[in-house]
Amino acid sequence: LRRLGFVPCPTMSAPAVVAAAAGYVAVCLAAWLLGRSGAGPPPKRTVEIARGVHMPLLANGVDTDHHVWLEAGGRHLDTAFLYGDWKQRAVGAAIASSGLPRGDVFLTTKVMCCPTLRCGGVCEGGTTAPVAVNAATYRNVTAQLEHSLSVLGLPSVDLLLLHFPCARWADTAAAWRALERAHAAGHARAIGVSNFNASLLRRLVKIAAIQPAVNQVGFSIAGHPAEHGGENATRYGCLEGSRLYGADDATLRLATARGITTQAYSPLGAISNVDVLGRREVQRVAAAHSREGGARNWTAAQVAFAWLLQQGMGAVTATTDARHAAEALDAAELRLTRREMRSLSRLR
């Protein structure tokens, strides 16, 4: 008992000591059980990724109609140079027509690094990209950003990411220096990377004058990494969900230790080819909370989002459906127990 911190008063009688000790053990046991299976910490809605830069953890990306997301209360939009002018233009139009102050909507865009580790021929010619992406020079990455800002109709973004690492480390380093210059020039309030694994993150933080604020990777329940491990092409013909692209616990641990926020794209597993919503454990947890909540029916998708949020991770979904938008945003209200978090984390 003394090892547990219980020290009886010298004037206490033997029965009093026994009673006090029993009560103390009961409290310790209750605390231990709560730590193992009690409700985890409430999910956060925003995170400070750089000094004074607060990023909403839930974002909407890829789609061309973001009005639904903003009307549902979403305040983070995600796009990229790689997605094309029409998708970036749709993001700018949604912000302009929303009636919201510019500072109320957090905007992320990305620039490409070429030759890239990303599969496919985006850097090998045949692309219709408005800026050539066949050389990862400072001028090239800067040209991509300038073009994107022009299409968005905005002078700056809140977060600028390097979409994929280059095939050559020297090009990756040069591209990162371009992002640092963009930050210094006021074109981005924060800068980060996407699809960087633990090894590349270690190399980057050693040479970076500004540490990356975010690493956006494919990450989901049962997809860290995905079962395919990147060995076979997915329906997109890429390696999303693999260790190569940072979709693993080692990369998450390193990012957390370095103060880098991990943001998950494909949180429901579509791009990484992981059937998150079909997992029985995910469905069981949703059903259990629906029974406990009574009037509220939680969904498997909300469990998947909550699992990320309770780890302090962001998530980028893609929807133009008002019901799905509200469903994703409401996931911040769901508190999974520590036992549920562990069981979901073990799924592969």
Side-chain angles (χ1 to χ4, degrees):
L1 286 174
R2 289 182 183 276
R3 290 183 178 180
L4 292 175
F6 176 75
V7 180
C9 177
T11 60
M12 293 174 68
S13 64
V17 170
V18 171
Y24 189 83
V25 169
V27 171
C28 290
L29 180 61
W32 179 76
L33 289 173
L34 181 63
R36 289 183 61 83
S37 59
K44 296 187 293 184
R45 291 182 179 272
T46 64
V47 62
E48 188 174 23
I49 58 173
R51 182 173 295 181
V53 182
H54 296 269
M55 180 182 79
L57 287 173
L58 285 168
N60 197 52
V62 181
D63 286 314
T64 56
D65 183 1
H66 298 280
H67 296 88
V68 167
W69 182 256
L70 295 175
E71 289 169 2
R75 292 297 181 265
H76 185 176
L77 299 180
D78 178 280
T79 188
F81 174 84
L82 180 64
Y83 299 164
D85 284 4
W86 59 298
K87 289 191 175 181
Q88 292 208 94
R89 189 172 291 112
V91 169
I95 295 174
S97 63
S98 68
L100 295 168
R102 171 63 187 89
D104 287 0
V105 181
F106 192 97
L107 176 59
T108 297
T109 195
K110 314 174 196 77
V111 290
M112 283 295 295
C113 188
C114 295
T116 180
L117 281 181
R118 187 184 194 276
C119 57
V122 66
C123 296
E124 287 76 40
T127 178
T128 57
V131 177
V133 287
N134 56 8
T137 63
Y138 167 82
R139 178 174 175 270
N140 170 258
V141 173
T142 302
Q144 291 182 47
L145 175 59
E146 290 173 348
H147 181 86
S148 294
L149 292 175
S150 175
V151 171
L152 288 164
L154 296 168
S156 65
V157 296
D158 298 290
L159 177 62
L160 175 64
L161 302 179
L162 185 59
H163 207 155
F164 283 86
C166 266
R168 296 188 296 264
W169 170 249
D171 291 337
T172 300
W176 182 252
R177 287 194 293 272
L179 265 66
E180 291 178 331
R181 293 292 185 90
H183 177 269
H187 297 311
R189 298 173 64 213
I191 56 176
V193 294
S194 182
N195 297 297
F196 272 53
N197 58 36
S199 176
L200 286 169
L201 271 183
R202 286 192 190 94
R203 294 188 72 177
L204 183 61
V205 297
K206 287 180 180 179
I207 61 99
I210 301 174
Q211 297 295 291
V214 168
N215 185 26
Q216 188 184 109
V217 297
F219 208 97
S220 68
I221 292 173
H224 52 107
E227 188 175 7
H228 60 72
E231 295 174 2
N232 299 309
T234 69
R235 64 193 178 99
Y236 285 86
C238 293
L239 300 174
E240 277 85 347
S242 71
R243 286 187 176 89
L244 175 65
Y245 287 169
D248 65 310
D249 293 333
T251 303
L252 174 61
R253 286 193 297 268
L254 176 65
T256 301
R258 295 281 187 172
I260 302 168
T261 298
T262 297
Q263 189 181 35
Y265 64 77
S266 190
L268 303 183
I271 296 176
S272 52
N273 202 29
V274 177
D275 183 15
V276 175
L277 303 185
R279 299 286 174 146
R280 289 184 179 179
E281 179 64 8
V282 178
Q283 297 171 354
R284 185 198 67 78
V285 171
H289 281 272
S290 296
R291 288 194 299 271
E292 292 173 3
R296 197 163 194 174
N297 289 320
W298 296 102
T299 66
Q302 289 173 316
V303 170
F305 287 121
W307 179 79
L308 293 166
L309 296 176
Q310 281 186 217
Q311 297 179 73
M313 299 170 65
V316 183
T317 187
T319 184
T320 57
D321 183 285
R323 182 173 59 87
H324 290 162
E327 183 180 357
L329 294 166
D330 284 348
E333 301 296 327
L334 175 60
R335 293 182 65 179
L336 305 177
T337 68
R338 289 179 172 86
R339 180 173 294 173
E340 289 167 342
M341 290 292 292
R342 286 194 299 272
S343 70
L344 294 170
S345 296
R346 286 193 293 265
L347 294 178
R348 290 293 187 272

